[in-house]
């Protein structure tokens, strides 16, 4: 099953944020993923701190009416980003 199919399946049932880590090779693939319902994505290889910042951005937009929840999620995301190994 492709990432695009997974996104469509999730999106059909939920508005939960979807963030993809991908190795997209064409603009068409990128467009298809966005049309399938991805809220954000990052191409591999990636910097863990950039990943954390982008995920926090999606969380901030998703929970914009609950600043305390955003702050709690952001703190947890930043702490865990430091644990992600950076591929050489």
């Amino acid at each position: 099953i492709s990432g695009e199919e997974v996104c469509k399946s999730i999106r059909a049932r939920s508005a939960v944020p979807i963030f993809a880590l991908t190795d997209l090779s064409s603009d068409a693939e990128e467009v298809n993923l966005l049309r399938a319902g991805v809220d954000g994505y990052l191409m591999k290889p990636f910097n863990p701190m950039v990943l954390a910042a982008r995920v926090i951005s999606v969380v901030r937009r998703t929970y914009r009416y609950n600043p305390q929840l955003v702050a709690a999620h952001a703190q947890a995301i930043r702490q865990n980003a430091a644990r992600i190994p950076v591929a050489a």
Side-chain angles (χ1 to χ4, degrees):
I1 186 166
S2 73
E4 184 179 332
E5 291 169 347
V6 170
C7 288
K8 285 180 180 178
S9 176
I10 293 169
R11 198 50 76 219
R13 291 174 280 196
S14 177
V16 67
I18 302 172
F19 198 89
L21 300 177
T22 182
D23 57 356
L24 296 173
S25 58
S26 73
D27 289 343
E29 290 175 326
E30 182 178 345
V31 168
N32 288 338
L33 196 56
L34 290 166
R35 286 181 178 166
V38 162
D39 295 295
Y41 69 94
L42 195 59
M43 292 182 62
K44 299 177 204 173
F46 58 88
N47 178 313
M49 298 311 294
V50 172
L51 170 62
R54 289 184 182 232
V55 170
I56 290 168
S57 179
V58 169
V59 168
R60 188 174 52 243
R61 285 193 309 273
T62 303
Y63 300 108
R64 65 184 167 269
Y65 300 112
N66 191 339
Q68 293 83 13
L69 186 60
V70 171
H73 282 297
Q75 181 179 2
I77 292 165
R78 284 189 194 102
Q79 288 172 347
N80 288 308
R83 297 181 189 164
I84 299 172
V86 178

